[in-house]
Amino acid sequence: MEFLPLVAIALVFWLLIVRPAGKRQKEIAKLQAALKVGDRVLLSSGIFAVVRETSEDRVRVEIADGVVVEVARGAVAAIEPAAEQSSVEEARSGDDGFNGPTTPGA
């Protein structure tokens, strides 16, 4: 009976800390394994890039027009959803409906 509170604390710790961390780690590994050319990704450094080539443990990504760098596959933190990718491409095309500043009374 003396160890019951200790066992309860250990169980709560496992349920709230260890188990979710393990699930998250599995999700990230699955995401990194599913990378394909053309995916827009967020690197762990906070840089957005587009996957240009993949290999077993590395990924070549384009971070700006014509600037391709090679990073470890583990540096990919997230893949952007397709809906966000199309809005980014629209913004790059320059057709955002903004015609520049207007002057009052002109």
Side-chain angles (χ1 to χ4, degrees):
M1 292 303 272
E2 295 175 7
F3 295 108
L4 190 57
L6 186 59
V7 170
I9 290 172
L11 179 64
V12 169
F13 178 78
W14 182 79
L15 286 173
L16 295 177
I17 305 293
V18 176
R19 188 169 166 227
K23 283 185 177 182
R24 177 72 180 140
Q25 198 170 22
K26 286 180 185 177
E27 289 174 11
I28 289 174
K30 191 183 299 185
L31 171 136
Q32 291 169 350
L35 287 175
K36 59 187 181 298
V37 174
D39 282 347
R40 184 163 164 82
V41 297
L42 172 65
L43 302 178
S44 58
S45 60
I47 297 173
F48 287 96
V50 178
V51 176
R52 293 296 175 216
E53 184 182 328
T54 62
S55 66
E56 180 125 355
D57 61 342
R58 297 176 189 206
V59 180
R60 291 177 59 87
V61 295
E62 184 175 16
I63 57 175
D65 292 334
V67 181
V68 178
V69 295
E70 188 172 29
V71 297
R73 190 176 283 265
V76 176
I79 298 176
E80 279 192 21
E84 287 184 23
Q85 288 181 15
S86 63
S87 65
V88 169
E89 290 170 6
E90 288 173 6
R92 283 187 178 174
S93 70
D95 187 20
D96 59 0
F98 182 70
N99 295 326
T102 59
T103 56

